[in-house]
Amino acid sequence: MELLRGVIEKKVITRTKRELNAFRQMFPFNTHVSKLKADETFKENWTNEFASFARLISGYKADYSIDDQVVDFEPLLNEMSIETEDEDEFVALLNELLVTGETKQQLQHPNMLLHLESAEIKNRVFKISDYLYDLCKENALLKDLFKANKQNNVLQNIFSELKPELEPIDKKPSSFDHKLPWIGDLFADDLLFLRKHPDFFVKYADLVAYYYTFFLLSQNVVKLSLLEHADYKQNTVEPLYFTLDWESTVSSRRDAVRKGFKYLDEMSTKLFSTQLTLAQLSCNTENSELEKMMDFPTLKSIFDQLSSEEQEKWIQEVDTQAESIIETSKLQHKITQSSTFLDSVKQLIYVMEVSSPESAQKRYGSGITEIAKVRLVKQRGRNGNVLSLNQEVLTMFLIVIIRSSKMRLQDVYVELEKRGIFLDRYSRVEFENTLERMSLLIKMSDSGEAQYVKSIL
């Protein structure tokens, strides 16, 4: 295994810039992240963004607009039995829904999401609908997720007849580098289950998509920061601890403070430099296609199979790459001779950090934390921000997890953790108290083994 210096200088570290996306894009945002841009996508226009995903996964173009639509309601009125004095009010309602555009609160069926306008966002920073589509595009079952089975709803019939036609995809959206495709399978499974209950689907499907966006991105950030020690195997989740919004106090010693938002924030600060380092190291003779970045554990596995002389040569090549960047950047920093694979990687990460614009690194790293702040973070006084679940998010999890009449409490915790939700012992007590208040906890004994959680459905 040898580094391809010429490829690095052409694809990753060019004369004019550092290219984060020299390979397929790993994260669906760029270095222009801000709180304003995150709120614009994930708060103000999130249902519209989800509607774009719905169209893509159904085989239609993501963009959809009804701005120029002129609808003649006369033929429809002639077919319906409506009192003359009520016609104006009925037409006004149809205009609001069909011309002005319906809101999430006005949706009556999952199919109507296909006709929700796409978000009008200038200088788009987050490409979430493309990202989720690329994650799930091979799942054949999702292609019919938003299509109507039977049109037995008057309003739904009107929509299908009067809304502008959906256009088939004629250009494939961007392709991304998904290191954790199994999370996409879990996301699809939860959506497909929720679809069996149309009312709940309309209410919670976009929230499921928002959470899985955070889950997938946060796991990628943390695993990338673990370098060669990361585990990308199926269902292997790096713990991030959450509280519940209504917990009265959260002490600084708790896992929710030490291993939650602060931990994620710390890992994300080096996202820019770590991803650039991985991009450089992926330009090697073992990565012949040069389409996707390798991961650090794979690089380390290949390194371990080299002879001692080849290992020493590889380490020297990485150190030389670090030295070249320092010289080009005209920085006063001495490169030390690395003795291990990990030492050489950490030194190159540090070099990328000190030689790259600080503001760009900070903005890029904030991509995941700004997404979290929209719905999954609560400020806890001097302990700062912590990951936290509100009642709506908790209810959503209970709906998609408990699919039969009841489930053992311990199994509920297992399913939550499979989806990236870890609760420390204090939050578990509050969680169980909450289930009792919701009349969902069945206690057959005081032990967790004999406690069950009833389905909300």
Side-chain angles (χ1 to χ4, degrees), residues 179-409:
K179 302 294 187 189
L180 301 167
W182 64 267
I183 292 181
D185 296 337
L186 194 57
F187 169 51
D189 185 63
D190 281 352
L191 280 182
L192 288 165
F193 172 75
L194 200 59
R195 180 62 177 82
K196 297 175 182 177
H197 308 275
D199 291 343
F200 284 107
F201 187 92
V202 168
K203 185 173 182 179
Y204 290 107
D206 62 335
L207 183 57
V208 172
Y210 162 77
Y211 176 75
Y212 270 97
T213 300
F214 165 79
F215 179 33
L216 182 58
L217 296 179
S218 61
Q219 287 295 307
N220 272 293
V221 168
V222 175
K223 287 182 185 293
L224 197 58
S225 72
L226 295 175
L227 305 179
E228 65 183 69
H229 303 297
D231 189 346
Y232 287 89
K233 291 196 295 291
Q234 178 97 3
N235 295 329
T236 304
V237 180
E238 305 301 335
L240 288 173
Y241 284 83
F242 288 72
T243 62
L244 303 179
D245 273 6
W246 47 94
E247 289 185 56
S248 56
T249 58
V250 178
S251 71
S252 59
R253 295 187 298 274
R254 285 182 52 183
D255 288 339
V257 174
R258 297 182 296 108
K259 299 178 184 177
F261 182 85
K262 285 184 178 179
Y263 175 67
L264 178 61
D265 191 28
E266 181 183 347
M267 297 301 101
S268 66
T269 58
K270 296 186 182 296
L271 177 60
F272 185 97
S273 56
T274 305
Q275 188 176 333
L276 272 176
T277 296
L278 183 57
Q280 292 174 78
L281 299 184
S282 294
C283 296
N284 64 65
T285 52
E286 292 292 323
N287 191 17
S288 57
E289 294 183 0
L290 292 174
E291 286 188 10
K292 289 186 177 182
M293 280 193 288
M294 304 172 83
D295 54 56
F296 285 114
T298 299
L299 284 168
K300 181 58 164 59
S301 176
I302 296 172
F303 175 85
D304 288 341
Q305 296 172 32
L306 301 175
S307 67
S308 57
E309 289 182 359
E310 289 172 325
Q311 288 183 353
E312 185 176 343
K313 182 181 177 182
W314 166 264
I315 292 172
Q316 288 175 351
E317 286 181 343
V318 177
D319 287 349
T320 300
Q321 177 66 14
E323 192 167 13
S324 174
I325 294 168
I326 287 294
E327 290 175 358
T328 303
S329 303
K330 299 179 180 180
L331 294 172
Q332 299 299 315
H333 178 76
K334 183 174 177 60
I335 299 298
T336 59
Q337 184 175 344
S338 302
S339 58
T340 67
F341 174 87
L342 187 58
D343 287 343
S344 66
V345 169
K346 286 184 174 180
Q347 179 163 246
L348 187 53
I349 290 174
Y350 175 75
V351 166
M352 295 313 305
E353 184 179 350
V354 298
S355 64
S356 300
E358 184 179 352
S359 57
Q361 294 185 66
K362 186 175 181 180
R363 289 194 302 269
Y364 189 70
S366 71
I368 182 59
T369 53
E370 290 298 339
I371 291 173
K373 287 177 184 177
V374 174
R375 296 193 190 189
L376 295 171
V377 169
K378 185 177 177 66
Q379 222 284 331
R380 289 286 184 174
R382 64 182 182 182
N383 289 324
N385 289 324
V386 299
L387 293 174
S388 192
L389 304 178
N390 62 27
Q391 186 67 55
E392 183 183 24
V393 176
L394 180 62
T395 301
M396 178 268 290
F397 277 119
L398 293 175
I399 290 172
V400 299
I401 286 174
I402 306 170
R403 302 185 179 186
S404 56
S405 60
K406 63 183 179 181
M407 176 183 280
R408 285 195 321 147
L409 177 61

Side-chain angles (χ1 to χ4, degrees), residues 75-129:
L76 177 65
L77 293 174
N78 291 335
E79 293 178 11
M80 302 182 71
S81 300
I82 299 178
E83 298 293 335
T84 304
E85 62 268 21
D86 295 329
E87 286 186 359
D88 289 344
E89 187 176 346
F90 182 66
V91 168
L93 171 63
L94 292 179
N95 266 309
E96 182 181 354
L97 294 176
L98 297 170
V99 181
T100 307
E102 69 277 11
T103 65
K104 179 181 176 181
Q105 289 71 30
Q106 294 166 324
L107 296 174
Q108 302 292 317
H109 188 277
N111 174 255
M112 295 168 76
L113 271 163
L114 296 176
H115 298 280
L116 190 65
E117 286 191 287
S118 48
E120 294 184 10
I121 300 176
K122 294 181 179 179
N123 303 318
R124 185 179 287 270
V125 170
F126 295 93
K127 298 193 292 185
I128 305 301
S129 57

